[in-house]
Amino acid sequence: MGIAGDARTAGKLSAERSLVCPDLIGRSREVSILDERVGAIGRRRGGVVVLLGDGGLGKTRLAREAVALATAAGLPVLAGRSVPGANPVPYRAVAEGLLAAFRSTPAPRAPDLAAFDGYLVRLIPDWPGTSPARVDESPVLFGEAVLRLLRSMAGGRGCLLLLEDLHWADAETLAVVEYLSDAARDEPVLCLCTARQEGAASELLDRLERRDPLSVIRVAPLGGPDVDRMVEACLSTPTPPADVVEFLRRHSDGNPFLVEELLAGLVAMGQLAVEDGRWVSRGGLTARLPRSLHDSIRRRLTGLDRVTRRVVDAAALLGRRFDWELLPGICEVDGRAVVHALRKATGDQLIVADGSGFSFRHALTREAVLAEVLPPDRRELAARAWPAIERANPGLPGPICELAAELAEAAGERVAAALRLVESARRALASGALSSAEAAARRARELAGSDRNMAAVVDEVMVHVFVAAGKAGEALELGRRVVADPVGHHAEGAQRAEMLVAVARAAVTAGDPRSAEEMISQARSASGSDAEGGSAGPALAARIDAVAAHVALERNRLEDAEALARSAVEASGRTDQPEVACEALEVLGRLARVSRPGESNAWFEQEADLARTHGLARWHLRAQHELALTAWTRADFQPLRDTRDLAVRYGAMITVAVMDLSLADIALSAFDRDASLTAARCCVEASRRYGLATEPIAWLWLAGAYALAGDDGQMNAAIDRALTRDPDDPRILADLYGRVLVTRAVVADELDSLPALLDTSMEYVRRAPPAASIYPGRLLWATVHTVTDDDFGVGARAECTAAVERIDMPVLRAARDVYAAAALARQGDAERSQQIMRDALAAFGRTGLGTGMGYVQILVVARAALREGWGEPVVWLREAGAFFAAGGYDRAARRCRLLLAETGAPVSRRGRGDSAVPTTLRALGVTSREVDVLKLAAAGLSTKAIAEALFLSPKTVERHLSSLSDRTGVRGRRALTDVARRHGLTPA
């Protein structure tokens, strides 16, 4: 019989002699919960459930029950398992489940999976599609990809994902599980995990249980009666020996696995045997007996012959599931001896047949065997196993690289182990598994020890890991040491220059352009180039120039930046380096934005075209984002939306979230309540799901949206969340007081609180570091001081004007003109003031950006003008009142009406409204007052609210609505809203 035939026989014998309990004893509560959770999948109620308990308590058996329930319901089941090791493979358990599921089944092609091809192909190498390069590397985005894939299975009915031994999981898998715990709650996807309360998973398990106590099922030891029942089931007899039952009660601690293992140990030692068809005890059970799994397995190991013990020890070194065909060479025995050993180990319940191979019956079994391997034996076996594994697996694919590192370390070859861990770190870095990459690199550094050459190699990889992980400070600190080490990169040449360029990039990211400049200088020297490029290879010289251009831009040496960027663009074309060209073109675009705004878009468009042609997703999006920002300053928001759509196609979900943040900002500044709530909520949700740094600002803009909605409770709750990370962040506090709370004060008609709020905001503005935001509240602050201070706010205006001039935005210039006009009016120059104010009001109407804050500014100026008797407050109040009334801001609109009444100006009467009547409606006989009513009705205001805003009675409003219906031939508020939209009376 050949080796394969002997292996099958070994598996058969194991089944015949098995003492595994055939029934699930004492777990009715847990099964009931699992039944309910699996049944809820069909009702689109999923999430994460964890079976938590010590090893051997039956978590896997319970998981099998859940699998059976899901299968009976016609749901697909995917299963993966984490394995122990100092350097776990990123996403191992998740990838194992997906690979098994789609090995022979076509992958679904749901529309919402298209943006995630780049993630799914990392988990499923044969995944179809274009697999575009990803922009955002994040375990959370892998989680979103997994969620969408699982949701699409079984025709959208969902599935069960089983992840076993979560306590051994890599950081990326834990992040995916945490993501699913929230994201899958209302999806037809249930992620069932088994775990012990140990290792890196402990903190996650605590968080899951705090958030949802029902998500963690604590599996407790069995009680005495249940242990008795289990013994009866294992031995298939209602009358097992009393002393054996008592022994197992005392020494198993209610652990079902130990009950089975201890029973197997008693049988193996001959202390429990079948005589005349019944089980009998042969005594000795009251002696010093095993109290743990290790003791039980130790006894069985002791009873093995020398060859079998050697085979079992070698198998344990290879992992829980091992390649048994390698064992003859590792153990230096023939194949038949190995099969005999496997048969014996299977019979003793150390090993089980697993498909066409073998595995240890339980992870605990393998751990116990490894603990019994003496250090000299471990080193000898590992020294043979390590090269055997590498010969059998060229290139060390997947987890084999990790295993090779462990074996090399066990063999005493620490430097070789470090080298393999470096490769593992590089692979993890390439796949975006940054936590695993960092863990592997750190372990490699420990193993490198005093070997300076190996330490230099590890440190070089670590620099790249830190840069990718956004740890610019650590990357810069380590990078400086690396480039100062004469051993690293052979201390010279292009390799050293490449590292210096990487460190320069880290320095730019860390906000240290001086250090970046120093690194660029050293890179030129290392590559043999002079200041003009010299003898450096043209490809390397182009890369150096591109980074140097960014450094020069940061150092405000604009001419140098332009020269370097142009040189890099030209050289990159000759050396076929489109990514370098994109990097340099971005510098040219930013330079033009400062000095020649009309030319900046041409550079960004060239960058976008080049990136699109060469499939450089990251640079394509960066270019599109720059173009969108330029358009935004001119109140053209469509490019921003287009960039968001592009990010969705690329699977760059973080970029999508950033776009939503910008859209929330725009809507808040325009006092667009609904759009502000929608965009801010989307950004908050994405920020939380993806763990983005945008979360505080997203919460702040959501607080502003609630301020527009008049919901103080929700606003205050959102403010608390915005300040959770840093309660003293001046950037958040500046916009909190100068924008969010100012918005609330206007909507609530508490205008007298504005000066204090704005002065507080400016205290934080002055503390905050310079940033792209100029804090719109600053404009209103300058306006308030202009209309109240005896010196006409000369200092405030000068400070604010300096900030406005740094950014080329028409809406900011219009706001500046408003307070300039107010100052002129207070100084007696009425003619110039009125003309400037008219132009500013016209600009507000054209821009469509910041209109809400603009009309708040107009209201402040009109109120002061009315009090002191200058300007045209009647005109201004009518403009502001119409804006606030159309938006449904009743109190602000009423304030405008009351101030108008103080002027003695007539308040609009029937037929004499404030609105212009479109020609098509005028032909139907619609009046200006009816258009006023139509606008507010289309904005969603109630009849009572419209009446209050227009100083009419509710019955008069109803008559206007009835007249509108008669004139337009439509019925109902929804139809009238459509009429308003068709005639341009509401936003598109």
Side-chain angles (χ1 to χ4, degrees):
M1 182 182 293
I3 292 178
D6 284 348
R8 286 192 293 270
T9 302
K12 182 178 179 182
L13 289 174
S14 172
E16 292 172 350
R17 297 178 55 187
S18 175
L19 292 173
V20 174
C21 184
D23 304 315
L24 191 57
I25 306 294
R27 301 301 186 200
S28 58
R29 178 187 68 88
E30 292 86 347
V31 171
S32 176
I33 295 173
L34 291 173
D35 189 11
E36 195 281 328
R37 292 303 297 264
V38 171
I41 296 175
R43 303 191 298 275
R44 300 188 66 82
R45 296 293 296 171
V48 170
V49 174
V50 181
L51 293 166
L52 179 62
D54 293 335
L57 287 179
K59 302 183 295 296
T60 297
R61 292 291 297 277
L62 284 167
R64 289 178 194 158
E65 291 293 318
V67 167
L69 290 167
T71 301
L75 296 174
V77 177
L78 288 73
R81 182 188 301 274
S82 300
V83 296
N87 303 284
V89 177
Y91 305 107
R92 184 193 190 284
V94 177
E96 180 181 333
L98 296 179
L99 284 170
F102 298 109
R103 189 169 288 124
S104 59
T105 302
R109 298 307 299 161
D112 66 343
L113 291 177
F116 290 88
D117 283 347
Y119 299 98
L120 293 172
V121 76
R122 304 292 177 93
L123 300 172
I124 309 170
D126 293 331
W127 183 261
T130 59
S131 302
R134 288 199 316 283
V135 177
D136 307 311
E137 297 286 357
S138 167
V140 178
L141 295 181
F142 275 92
E144 180 71 12
V146 170
L147 174 60
R148 295 190 183 205
L149 175 59
L150 299 179
R151 180 176 59 195
S152 68
M153 296 186 67
R157 291 187 295 117
C159 69
L160 173 69
L161 172 65
L162 172 61
L163 301 179
E164 295 201 64
D165 296 329
L166 199 65
H167 47 279
W168 286 323
D170 53 280
E172 288 74 24
T173 294
L174 294 178
V176 168
V177 171
E178 184 162 19
Y179 177 83
L180 292 176
S181 69
D182 286 328
R185 191 165 296 177
D186 295 317
E187 301 283 358
V189 173
L190 179 64
C191 176
L192 177 63
C193 306
T194 66
R196 304 181 206 165
Q197 188 74 50
E198 63 184 57
S202 292
E203 294 183 5
L204 169 60
L205 297 173
D206 289 339
R207 289 196 298 273
L208 292 179
E209 191 165 27
R210 284 195 301 270
R211 291 202 295 259
D212 180 11
L214 297 179
S215 68
V216 176
I217 304 174
R218 292 188 173 271
V219 183
L222 298 177
D226 285 330
V227 171
D228 296 353
R229 292 170 55 207
M230 187 173 176
V231 174
E232 294 171 5
C234 287
L235 300 180
S236 301
T237 177
T239 57
D243 58 342
V244 170
V245 174
E246 179 59 24
F247 166 76
L248 291 172
R249 271 202 179 199
R250 286 189 288 113
H251 294 287
S252 71
D253 294 325
N255 187 304
F257 179 67
L258 285 180
V259 170
E260 297 172 344
E261 291 296 305
L262 290 170
L263 274 173
L266 293 176
V267 172
M269 292 182 291
Q271 296 176 343
L272 180 63
V274 177
E275 294 182 2
D276 298 327
R278 64 186 182 88
W279 290 99
V280 296
S281 168
R282 291 178 175 172
L285 302 181
T286 58
R288 188 178 180 87
L289 295 173
R291 295 182 57 86
S292 68
L293 172 65
H294 288 174
D295 294 329
S296 174
I297 292 178
R298 183 184 296 119
R299 287 177 178 268
R300 274 176 276 171
L301 291 173
T302 301
L304 297 177
D305 62 82
R306 185 185 63 82
V307 172
T308 300
R309 175 65 183 271
R310 189 172 177 81
V311 168
V312 172
D313 290 350
L317 282 173
L318 297 182
R320 183 181 177 190
R321 193 178 193 282
F322 52 88
D323 185 348
W324 58 272
E325 293 182 289
L326 298 179
L327 294 175
I330 296 172
C331 300
E332 296 184 305
V333 298
D334 63 35
R336 191 170 297 277
V338 166
V339 171
H340 174 78
L342 292 173
R343 183 184 295 114
K344 180 67 171 68
T346 301
D348 287 342
Q349 294 190 0
L350 294 170
I351 289 171
V352 295
D354 186 2
S356 61
F358 291 90
S359 64
F360 282 89
R361 180 166 176 259
H362 195 283
L364 292 174
T365 309
R366 185 210 174 206
E367 291 179 25
V369 172
L370 281 176
E372 295 301 310
V373 181
L374 295 175
D377 295 335
R378 181 190 293 260
R379 175 170 291 198
E380 178 196 356
L381 289 170
R384 291 191 176 90
W386 164 36
I389 281 288
E390 296 203 345
R391 284 194 302 270
N393 299 275
L396 302 180
I400 299 299
C401 189
E402 305 287 338
L403 177 59
E406 291 180 14
L407 290 172
E409 182 180 355
E413 298 292 341
R414 295 170 63 86
V415 173
L419 189 60
R420 282 144 185 81
L421 286 174
V422 165
E423 176 59 25
S424 179
R426 287 178 177 139
R427 294 178 184 180
L429 177 61
S431 68
L434 301 182
S435 296
S436 290
E438 185 174 341
R442 289 189 184 279
R443 179 58 182 155
R445 189 64 180 81
E446 293 176 13
L447 293 172
S450 60
D451 189 302
R452 295 189 64 191
N453 285 303
M454 190 68 243
V457 172
V458 177
D459 287 345
E460 292 160 14
V461 172
M462 188 76 83
V463 170
H464 292 292
V465 171
F466 283 154
V467 170
K471 299 179 179 180
E474 291 180 78
L476 182 56
E477 180 182 356
L478 179 59
R480 284 170 173 158
R481 293 203 303 269
V482 168
V483 298
D485 185 351
V487 174
H489 313 284
H490 310 292
E492 62 185 13
Q495 191 177 4
R496 174 173 172 79
E498 295 283 10
M499 175 53 63
L500 285 161
V501 169
V503 178
R505 284 196 179 96
V508 171
T509 304
D512 189 353
R514 186 183 298 275
S515 292
E517 191 168 43
E518 178 185 346
M519 295 300 165
I520 289 296
S521 177
Q522 291 185 39
R524 293 194 189 283
S525 298
S527 63
S529 65
D530 56 26
E532 285 75 35
S535 61
L540 175 57
R543 292 194 291 275
I544 293 175
D545 283 348
V547 178
H550 277 279
V551 175
L553 181 60
E554 292 293 326
R555 302 280 285 165
N556 203 35
R557 294 200 314 271
L558 304 187
E559 291 184 3
D560 290 347
E562 182 168 2
L564 288 164
R566 288 182 181 275
S567 173
V569 169
E570 182 181 353
S572 65
R574 295 195 307 269
T575 56
D576 191 23
Q577 297 184 97
E579 192 164 1
V580 174
C582 288
E583 188 173 11
L585 288 167
E586 185 174 284
V587 173
L588 292 172
R590 290 179 179 176
L591 284 167
R593 180 178 286 155
V594 173
S595 56
R596 303 179 297 276
E599 300 177 15
S600 63
N601 275 13
W603 294 113
F604 295 134
E605 286 168 356
Q606 186 177 343
E607 177 190 355
D609 290 342
L610 186 64
R612 187 187 303 109
T613 299
H614 292 277
L616 303 175
R618 174 170 171 264
W619 289 105
H620 188 196
L621 269 181
R622 285 180 65 157
Q624 292 300 125
H625 192 188
E626 294 288 351
L627 289 166
L629 289 176
T630 301
W632 179 8
T633 64
R634 289 163 177 75
D636 181 1
F637 309 136
Q638 191 56 45
L640 198 66
R641 298 185 179 97
D642 291 343
T643 301
R644 185 187 188 282
D645 293 341
L646 179 65
V648 171
R649 292 198 299 274
Y650 274 138
M653 307 314 291
I654 291 176
T655 304
V656 173
V658 173
M659 295 297 100
D660 282 331
L661 187 70
S662 297
L663 292 170
D665 186 359
I666 292 169
L668 179 59
S669 72
F671 273 42
D672 188 336
R673 178 175 46 243
D674 293 339
S676 181
L677 279 168
T678 298
R681 282 170 176 159
C682 287
C683 191
V684 164
E685 177 64 18
S687 298
R688 293 175 64 191
R689 293 177 76 167
Y690 304 146
L692 305 183
T694 52
E695 184 175 349
I697 302 173
W699 280 112
L700 189 66
W701 290 170
L702 184 58
Y706 284 128
L708 289 174
D711 191 336
D712 284 359
Q714 293 275 34
M715 180 193 72
N716 289 326
I719 290 171
D720 289 343
R721 298 298 295 271
L723 293 170
T724 296
R725 290 188 185 178
D726 183 359
D728 299 317
D729 187 342
R731 295 167 299 179
I732 297 293
L733 291 166
D735 273 332
L736 168 60
Y737 284 95
R739 192 163 178 192
V740 172
L741 295 181
V742 161
T743 298
R744 183 208 168 274
V746 172
V747 170
D749 190 22
E750 297 175 4
L751 300 183
D752 291 339
S753 67
L754 292 182
L757 291 172
L758 292 166
D759 285 342
T760 301
S761 173
M762 285 304 298
E763 293 175 10
Y764 292 113
V765 168
R766 297 184 183 109
R767 280 176 45 193
S773 170
I774 67 157
Y775 303 99
R778 179 183 292 182
L779 295 159
L780 190 57
W781 168 77
T783 303
V784 167
H785 282 278
T786 297
V787 300
T788 57
D789 292 358
D790 292 339
D791 65 353
F792 314 120
V794 61
R797 284 187 287 119
E799 183 176 352
C800 190
T801 298
V804 169
E805 290 177 351
R806 291 199 298 268
I807 300 179
D808 181 27
M809 292 183 68
V811 67
L812 299 182
R813 293 198 300 272
R816 176 201 59 196
D817 289 346
V818 168
Y819 61 66
L824 287 171
R826 292 192 70 200
Q827 293 167 353
D829 193 343
E831 184 176 350
R832 282 182 62 202
S833 169
Q834 289 174 6
Q835 185 56 52
I836 291 173
M837 185 67 83
R838 290 186 187 116
D839 291 343
L841 285 171
F844 280 144
R846 289 193 303 270
T847 64
L849 177 65
T851 50
M853 291 297 286
Y855 280 110
V856 171
Q857 189 183 18
I858 295 298
L859 175 56
V860 168
V861 171
R863 192 176 179 224
L866 178 61
R867 182 175 61 245
E868 296 183 358
W870 49 266
E872 298 178 306
V874 172
V875 174
W876 303 336
L877 287 169
R878 287 193 184 280
E879 290 272 1
F883 172 81
F884 292 125
Y889 301 110
D890 301 342
R891 294 184 180 182
R894 182 187 299 136
R895 173 56 53 194
C896 292
R897 294 286 180 177
L898 292 174
L899 290 172
L900 272 172
E902 291 180 20
T903 69
V907 177
S908 299
R909 298 186 300 274
R910 176 181 174 87
R912 295 180 57 188
D914 296 322
S915 300
V917 183
T919 303
T920 50
L921 290 181
R922 184 179 291 113
L924 298 176
V926 175
T927 67
S928 176
R929 172 55 78 223
E930 288 171 347
V931 172
D932 289 344
V933 172
L934 179 59
K935 286 181 179 179
L936 298 182
L941 271 68
S942 66
T943 298
K944 181 179 178 182
I946 295 172
E948 291 178 353
L950 298 179
F951 291 87
L952 302 172
S953 70
K955 287 187 177 180
T956 300
V957 172
E958 289 175 357
R959 285 198 298 272
H960 283 311
L961 290 172
S962 177
S963 175
L964 283 165
S965 294
D966 292 340
R967 296 180 193 277
T968 59
V970 302
R971 288 289 180 271
R973 289 286 189 103
R974 185 184 298 275
L976 285 173
T977 298
D978 291 339
V979 169
R981 186 177 297 110
R982 288 198 304 272
H983 290 84
L985 301 177
T986 63

